[in-house]
Amino acid sequence: MRVIIKDNLEDCSVWTASYIAYRIKQAKPTAKNPFVLGLPTGSTPLGVYKELIYMCKNKKVSFEHVVTFNMDEYVGIEPNNPQSYHYFMYHNFFNHIDINQKNIHILNGMTKDYAKECENYEQSILTYGGIDLFLGGVGSDGHIAFNEPFSSLSSRTRIKTLAPSTIKDNSRFFNNDIKNVPTQALTVGVGTIMDAKEVIIMASGNNKADAIYQAVEGSINQKWTITAMQNHPHGIIVCDKSAASKLSSEAIEYFNSIENPK
Ligand code: GLP
């Protein structure tokens, strides 16, 4: 695992966007052999999307041959509802880059057949040969995508009931009223994310400090699903100093020495 600790979220965003652009360019993707990118929603990745849009407009990176799979979507929210993750992705990213519409994949939370929708999603990822790079955020309780505490670490794409902590955290997007927050979502599994060739998880702020501590220094367990990162051969955590504030001095010294060798 690499742990990149930056002063603030803006620096985390610049680092992550540059890394994603570098990986896309390095892969030299084509229509036949596209780069497959897993993407999150949430407030944390907004700066990455802004930076990638800027790079795309300045011809520093192209998404023409990039295929995307989003992590999750609320159940029962129409795609044109501003609270849906469909709306979030088009509004904050897809509408501003040169991506081909047919290359965008987001789970359909309005489907009548959740099991089929989730199975098809997994199949679709496989037809592209798997995900090259999965970008994610993390909840304050350590969840990745909507893999809530006590989700199986080998879970696949499925319907999930949201934990009270997530409903409380996400109520800020629903007029601060927990009654407005959907209680279920479709989400890729921990296993789906961990199958990606590379995984980057971003975290910012003091409320993510416990999750980052567990991810780096806790034992692997299904209460903090982010701890599955410890088993990934190419996992990167990019966090600001506040999110890293509960890491031990040994951990900080070790990871900083790897990123800034003498
Ligand atoms: C939701 C999403 C997660 C995201 C989390 C944190 O629960 N399903 O993918 O990581 O929110 O969001 P934020 O970045 O706004 O803290």
Side-chain angles (χ1 to χ4, degrees):
M1 181 190 284
R2 286 174 72 186
V3 180
I4 317 271
I5 304 168
K6 297 282 179 194
D7 283 345
N8 50 49
L9 178 57
E10 199 186 333
D11 291 351
C12 293
S13 305
V14 170
W15 189 93
T16 305
S18 309
Y19 190 82
I20 293 170
Y22 157 71
R23 279 298 195 217
I24 294 172
K25 283 187 280 188
Q26 189 189 42
K28 298 195 173 60
T30 59
K32 272 203 169 141
N33 193 15
F35 187 85
V36 187
L37 184 61
L39 293 174
T41 56
S43 48
T44 312
L46 278 172
V48 174
Y49 292 145
K50 269 198 189 129
E51 192 67 23
L52 286 173
I53 291 167
Y54 178 80
M55 291 170 100
C56 183
K57 287 200 187 322
N58 287 285
K59 310 266 177 252
K60 299 260 191 294
V61 68
S62 169
F63 293 87
E64 194 188 348
H65 300 309
V66 174
V67 167
T68 63
F69 284 89
N70 260 82
M71 287 187 141
D72 43 19
E73 178 57 287
Y74 289 117
V75 162
I77 293 207
E78 299 274 358
N80 57 2
N81 181 322
Q83 264 89 33
S84 76
Y85 286 173
H86 276 78
Y87 185 94
F88 176 100
M89 288 308 299
Y90 278 89
H91 187 72
N92 291 302
F93 193 40
F94 297 142
N95 286 345
H96 313 286
I97 56 171
D98 60 348
I99 195 163
N100 193 327
Q101 285 296 312
K102 72 170 177 45
N103 287 344
I104 297 171
H105 301 85
I106 309 180
L107 284 154
N108 175 12
M110 296 301 292
T111 180
K112 291 205 169 65
D113 189 341
Y114 302 123
K116 190 95 203 115
E117 172 71 13
C118 294
E119 197 188 309
N120 288 347
Y121 208 66
E122 288 277 338
Q123 273 308 319
S124 184
I125 292 172
L126 286 181
T127 57
Y128 286 103
I131 291 177
D132 290 304
L133 195 168
F134 221 132
L135 174 67
V138 60
S140 59
D141 58 9
H143 74 256
I144 48 175
F146 270 130
N147 294 288
E148 301 291 46
F150 311 107
S151 294
S152 161
L153 298 186
S154 54
S155 50
R156 312 305 308 185
T157 305
R158 69 216 181 287
I159 187 165
K160 209 51 208 157
T161 297
L162 303 189
S165 50
T166 302
I167 292 180
K168 190 167 155 266
D169 281 356
N170 290 5
S171 63
R172 69 204 143 114
F173 301 113
F174 293 86
N175 293 327
N176 286 314
D177 187 348
I178 56 168
K179 288 201 287 303
N180 297 334
V181 185
T183 55
Q184 291 182 307
L186 301 185
T187 180
V188 294
V190 180
T192 321
I193 300 169
M194 293 304 143
D195 278 354
K197 295 180 189 90
E198 198 165 26
V199 180
I200 299 180
I201 299 290
M202 292 180 77
S204 165
N206 287 316
N207 64 330
K208 304 290 172 73
D210 285 325
I212 293 306
Y213 172 77
Q214 292 292 335
V216 179
E217 301 192 47
S219 49
I220 299 176
N221 70 89
Q222 61 181 4
K223 183 173 178 194
W224 297 85
T225 55
I226 189 176
T227 60
M229 282 288 277
Q230 291 178 21
N231 265 342
H232 197 284
H234 301 290
I236 307 179
I237 290 179
V238 187
C239 61
D240 61 16
K241 285 187 169 159
S242 309
S245 60
K246 291 198 176 169
L247 292 181
S248 64
S249 48
E250 297 100 291
I252 293 178
E253 193 182 2
Y254 172 72
F255 289 111
N256 279 346
S257 73
I258 290 178
E259 297 311 318
N260 311 297
K262 289 207 176 102

